[in-house]
């Protein structure tokens, strides 16, 4: 997994993407999201999704916007998060 500063930047960027999509996401919301994500497995996108869904979504009507933005930011082929979420497998002979 990517180092912690890069992952924190990724979460901040996601908050910015949600604002661009029209959700009311403030700096304090992103701090709360980052704190929640830090307690979970950052390699598990289900954890990352629910940490954001529970801290960044205020109204039921915002859920479709959140879902669409999450897919575009974390899962799309050209997603900003793609390079940080790729797993690299290395092996060493014993």
């Amino acid at each position: 997994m990517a180092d912690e500063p890069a992952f924190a930047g990724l979460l901040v960027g996601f908050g910015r993407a949600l604002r661009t999509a029209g959700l009311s996401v403030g700096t304090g919301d992103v701090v709360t999201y980052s704190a929640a994500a830090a307690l979970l497995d950052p390699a598990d996108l289900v954890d990352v999704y629910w940490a954001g869904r529970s801290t960044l979504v205020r109204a039921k009507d915002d859920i479709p916007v959140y879902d669409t933005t999450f897919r575009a930011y974390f899962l799309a082929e050209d997603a900003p998060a793609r390079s940080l979420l790729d797993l690299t497998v290395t092996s060493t002979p014993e």
Side-chain angles (χ1 to χ4, degrees), residues 52-71:
R53 170 90 182 266
S54 63
T55 59
L56 301 172
V57 175
R58 298 194 190 293
K60 184 178 177 181
D61 292 343
D62 293 342
I63 294 171
V65 175
Y66 177 86
D67 288 349
T68 300
T69 306
F70 186 90
R71 280 192 299 278

Side-chain angles (χ1 to χ4, degrees), residues 8 14 25-26 32-33 36 48 52 54 60 72 75:
F14 180 54
V25 176
T32 302
Y33 174 44
V48 174
S54 63
K60 184 178 177 181
L75 301 173

Side-chain angles (χ1 to χ4, degrees), residues 17-92:
L18 289 170
R19 276 192 298 274
T20 299
L23 294 188
S24 176
V25 176
T27 303
D29 300 320
V30 174
V31 170
T32 302
Y33 174 44
S34 298
L39 298 173
L40 304 171
D41 181 0
D44 185 344
L45 282 181
V46 173
D47 284 355
V48 174
Y49 170 87
W50 283 107
R53 170 90 182 266
S54 63
T55 59
L56 301 172
V57 175
R58 298 194 190 293
K60 184 178 177 181
D61 292 343
D62 293 342
I63 294 171
V65 175
Y66 177 86
D67 288 349
T68 300
T69 306
F70 186 90
R71 280 192 299 278
Y73 193 81
F74 287 101
L75 301 173
E77 280 298 317
D78 60 344
R82 195 75 170 185
S83 65
L84 288 173
L85 297 174
D86 285 340
L87 298 177
T88 303
V89 178
T90 59
S91 64
T92 58

Side-chain angles (χ1 to χ4, degrees), residues 2-20:
D3 59 59
E4 289 180 27
F7 190 68
L10 186 71
L11 298 179
V12 170
F14 180 54
R16 191 174 302 120
L18 289 170
R19 276 192 298 274
T20 299

